[in-house]
Amino acid sequence: MSYESSLARRLVPYVAGEQPKEQKLIKLNTNENPYQAPESVLKAVEAEVPNLRLYPDMESTALREAISEAVHVAPEQVFCGNGSDEVLAFSFAAFFSGKKTYTPSIGYSFYPVYANLFGAVLTAVPMLDGFRVDVDGLMRDGPIVLANPNAPTSLGLGLEEIRRLCEHAKSLGEILLVDEAYAAFARENAQELLKEYDNLLIVRTFSKSHALAGMRVGYAIGDEGLIQSLRKVRDSFNSYPVDRLAQAAAAAAVRDEAWLEESVKRICTSRDRAIRRLREAGIEVLDSQTNFLFVRAGREDAAPVQKKLRDQGVLVRHFAAPGLSPYLRVTIGTEEDTETVTNLLLEMIRA
């Protein structure tokens, strides 16, 4: 006998990348930062340990203030959550529930899950050739959500294209949600548009550029009215989503700008070198504005190459969805790990 509600029965959960138990594998399948968080973060976490008996600040005040200084908005324009996934979930509940909502047909695969959970009517707009987002196709009769740069394609829209989407959504009295998980690795981001549009919500994470995937911290920046809506959803679900250690770690990470700059530079240098080597060998790799590559590793299906890589101790991500199956998503690791996977790809794809 099933005791599930009708809601639970209709849910199709998100499938995350493999989290291996083996320690010897080179893990390039979930887009984590390959470098250790800075010493400033470790010291901040250690200093907070004696306070674990106390509930955390439900408003993440110190963290919000640190973020506001870094991105040049007021603290009241910042919302923090348990990873950007939770912030996205709250956003679907706050702004998309019961509405026709438009998103590119290839994007973050959690969006349909959230739509199903919170009763949004999510319409996937087909991509243009070369996995390009159809900006005009997104401009219909409802709010818009998209990842920019996109996952898993690694491509990014320019600022003027985001402006067009924001202007269109504004004319409808709806929001544009831009999921900027990979903004640190991109040429542009939408941050400056916050001065012009009160219907723009930007969601970011500390998992990629700041090396804090294990801490689960994400945030949104936008008009104070949008932030108040997110707070309303949060306080109807869990008033303490960001724990004391995570708040301390993230605040220290935001302030360590030198470490962030160096980490992003190392990752982008390794990324661009790998792209150049693969393309010189005639292997298709999409332009990347992220910390990963989207590589064509098979004529019809790249799963055999993914398996061969795993047999060699390297984890990468394969998506079986239509149009994506010939490709592998490969996280940029350390210089050594990126060199290893590039050499293996050259060997396996050309074989």
Side-chain angles (χ1 to χ4, degrees):
M1 178 181 293
S2 173
Y3 296 97
E4 287 187 332
S5 68
S6 59
L7 169 63
R9 285 196 297 272
R10 77 166 188 257
L11 295 180
V12 180
Y14 171 76
V15 179
E18 180 184 356
Q19 299 294 331
K21 299 298 189 292
E22 303 99 312
Q23 297 300 311
K24 294 183 180 180
L25 292 171
I26 297 175
K27 191 171 182 293
L28 304 177
N29 66 326
T30 50
N31 298 342
E32 294 142 319
N33 191 306
Y35 301 111
Q36 174 66 54
E39 187 67 22
S40 59
V41 168
L42 304 182
K43 288 181 178 178
V45 170
E46 183 178 6
E48 194 59 40
V49 169
N51 298 319
L52 293 185
R53 65 183 182 83
L54 302 172
Y55 282 111
D57 174 9
M58 62 185 295
E59 297 296 345
S60 302
T61 304
L63 174 55
R64 287 171 44 245
E65 289 174 349
I67 293 170
S68 74
E69 292 173 9
V71 302
H72 310 295
V73 300
E76 293 76 21
Q77 292 181 265
V78 182
F79 176 89
C80 297
N82 186 245
S84 62
D85 285 338
E86 181 179 72
V87 179
L88 287 168
F90 289 169
S91 299
F92 268 73
F95 307 113
F96 303 144
S97 181
K99 296 182 180 181
K100 288 183 180 179
T101 303
Y102 296 92
T103 194
S105 60
I106 296 174
Y108 188 25
S109 52
F110 229 138
Y111 298 159
V113 178
Y114 295 141
N116 198 15
L117 178 59
F118 294 110
V121 182
L122 194 66
T123 297
V125 176
M127 310 296 281
L128 300 175
D129 292 343
F131 296 110
R132 292 177 297 124
V133 171
D134 184 355
V135 173
D136 291 328
L138 288 170
M139 295 192 293
R140 301 192 187 180
D141 58 349
I144 303 164
V145 55
L146 78 162
N148 192 55
N150 196 16
T153 68
S154 74
L155 301 175
L157 291 176
L159 185 62
E160 288 310 307
E161 292 170 302
I162 297 297
R163 185 191 300 275
R164 287 180 59 210
L165 291 171
C166 204
E167 188 72 37
H168 172 77
K170 176 74 170 177
S171 72
L172 299 174
E174 299 289 359
I175 80 158
L176 168 67
L177 192 161
V178 183
D179 181 356
E180 288 193 342
Y182 302 98
F185 309 99
R187 289 186 289 272
E188 292 183 298
N189 63 63
Q191 188 174 306
E192 68 180 71
L193 296 181
L194 293 173
K195 301 173 185 177
E196 303 175 45
Y197 297 100
D198 64 358
N199 67 318
L200 173 62
L201 188 70
I202 297 172
V203 176
R204 293 178 178 169
T205 178
F206 282 84
S207 297
K208 317 301 181 184
S209 52
H210 290 83
L212 293 181
M215 279 295 184
R216 310 306 304 128
V217 188
Y219 65 96
I221 48 177
D223 182 78
E224 188 174 349
L226 300 182
I227 301 305
Q228 289 292 348
S229 296
L230 291 175
R231 292 178 63 196
K232 186 189 301 183
V233 173
R234 178 200 65 196
D235 293 343
S236 301
F237 181 77
N238 176 13
S239 295
Y240 300 97
V242 187
D243 68 52
R244 299 188 74 95
L245 299 184
Q247 289 186 37
V254 168
R255 293 192 169 100
D256 203 328
E257 296 178 358
W259 182 92
L260 175 63
E261 182 178 354
E262 178 62 23
S263 172
V264 169
K265 180 180 178 181
R266 292 176 71 182
I267 290 168
C268 290
T269 298
S270 294
R271 176 194 69 191
D272 295 344
R273 183 186 303 118
I275 291 174
R276 184 169 59 250
R277 291 188 62 204
L278 291 167
R279 285 180 172 171
E280 287 173 352
I283 296 170
E284 180 186 341
V285 188
L286 273 64
D287 292 332
S288 178
Q289 294 194 49
T290 63
N291 68 336
F292 62 87
L293 306 180
F294 202 53
V295 183
R296 184 161 195 140
R299 185 181 298 275
E300 301 294 336
D301 189 3
V305 175
Q306 181 199 32
K307 184 180 184 305
K308 288 180 182 178
L309 287 170
R310 201 188 194 291
D311 291 343
Q312 293 291 323
V314 179
L315 289 183
V316 299
R317 191 83 189 268
H318 176 254
F319 299 89
L324 299 181
S325 58
Y327 295 83
L328 295 176
R329 192 190 70 187
V330 182
T331 303
I332 299 301
T334 63
E335 287 92 340
E336 180 182 1
D337 289 346
T338 303
E339 187 82 2
T340 296
V341 72
T342 302
N343 290 337
L344 288 171
L345 286 170
L346 288 169
E347 176 186 327
M348 293 175 182
I349 297 175
R350 292 188 301 184

